[in-house]
Amino acid sequence: MEQYKQEFIDFMVESDVLKFGDFTLKRRKSPFFMNAGAYVTGTQLARLGEYYAKAIHETYGDDFDVLFGPAYKGIPISVVTAVAYAKLYGKEVRYCSDRKEEKDHGADKGGFLGSKLKDGDRVIMIEDVTTSGKSMEETVPKVRGAADVTIVGLMVSLNRMEVGLGGKVSALEEIKERYGFPTSAIVSMADVVEHLYNKECEGKVVIDDALKAAIDKYYAEYGVKNA
């Protein structure tokens, strides 16, 4: 596993973004929970943008123009990633996000924040985590309807590796099949378990034998083999 991915896993735990225990989600109980809203400091956000930038650079290369972050959590992620991309790779990319409610006045009226989408733009969608694909259902038509653009792919921070709403493949795979563009994540839960199992992070073992057994049981019921 690449060094930056190992660092990102530690970063999620240290930032209290990725937690382990017993959590009740909408449809099931889970031994882990991720909340990207816990990235709140300047240092955390700067590091988050760098990890996204590295993953995008490695996965999709530099042939893109816009980072699109769906409202709301995708807005700061797209901004900090655009900053990091310029810093790390010397490439200026624009950010764009949608509004939940269209603005009907002022110089920036309309349904988008940031850069306007233009014909010929190559766009990378960027999100925190995808569990159902609902945000893509709302935003992909907006992006494709705004201009003649190409969606290069989607990057999320964590692939939860769970069966999506269709009950057969992961949410990321469902998005790929439905909209026809690649999907990827900085790390997967398999990466997380591989990196943290019986290893110390901040002076304590995060995933011990008992938690590993709980995670294995969870994926036996809700996971997909080739997520």
Side-chain angles (χ1 to χ4, degrees):
M1 192 190 316
E2 294 87 338
Q3 182 66 31
Y4 80 88
K5 293 187 176 185
Q6 297 179 49
E7 293 174 359
F8 181 63
I9 293 168
D10 290 339
F11 172 60
M12 285 194 291
V13 175
E14 293 163 3
S15 301
D16 213 23
V17 166
L18 181 59
K19 300 180 180 181
F20 297 92
D22 186 12
F23 301 96
T24 301
L25 307 181
K26 286 183 178 180
R27 293 172 293 160
R28 62 188 69 156
K29 287 192 173 183
S30 172
F32 62 90
F33 177 73
M34 180 188 167
N35 174 26
Y39 296 119
V40 293
T41 71
T43 299
Q44 287 175 334
L45 290 167
R47 287 184 64 187
L48 180 64
E50 290 180 358
Y51 290 125
Y52 267 96
K54 289 176 180 178
I56 289 170
H57 180 75
E58 178 183 69
T59 306
Y60 298 120
D62 289 334
D63 188 16
F64 69 97
D65 309 290
V66 180
L67 290 168
F68 186 93
Y72 289 102
K73 289 182 180 178
I75 297 174
I77 296 174
S78 62
V79 171
V80 297
T81 303
V83 173
Y85 219 92
K87 175 183 174 182
L88 293 177
Y89 305 111
K91 178 179 173 65
E92 294 287 2
V93 295
R94 291 140 45 213
Y95 98 91
C96 181
S97 298
D98 61 322
R99 300 178 190 269
K100 289 293 187 180
E101 296 181 2
E102 187 162 325
K103 187 178 180 181
D104 61 2
H105 62 280
D108 61 340
K109 68 180 181 180
F112 296 94
L113 293 168
S115 172
K116 291 184 178 180
L117 295 172
K118 302 181 294 187
D119 289 350
D121 275 343
R122 293 175 60 80
V123 180
I124 288 180
M125 309 291 281
I126 189 168
E127 264 202 307
D128 58 341
V129 65
T130 296
T131 53
S132 68
K134 183 174 175 58
S135 63
M136 291 295 104
E137 182 179 314
E138 296 173 351
T139 56
V140 168
K142 288 183 183 180
V143 171
R144 287 178 167 166
D148 182 13
V149 304
T150 298
I151 298 179
V152 175
L154 166 68
M155 181 63 69
V156 302
S157 59
L158 178 67
N159 181 355
R160 292 180 58 97
M161 298 175 61
E162 298 165 339
V163 172
L165 294 179
K168 295 181 179 180
V169 298
S170 69
L172 283 178
E173 190 65 25
E174 286 181 343
I175 291 170
K176 178 181 178 181
E177 292 178 355
R178 181 170 185 177
Y179 299 109
F181 53 77
T183 58
S184 188
I186 302 176
V187 294
S188 68
M189 275 305 298
D191 295 327
V192 170
V193 173
E194 175 189 335
H195 180 64
L196 292 178
Y197 179 45
N198 280 338
K199 296 178 183 176
E200 287 192 359
C201 179
E202 292 197 306
K204 64 179 181 179
V205 173
V206 179
I207 301 180
D208 57 16
D209 290 340
L211 183 55
K212 173 69 160 54
I215 293 172
D216 288 344
K217 181 180 179 181
Y218 180 80
Y219 278 108
E221 184 171 0
Y222 298 114
V224 289
K225 291 183 178 180
N226 297 312

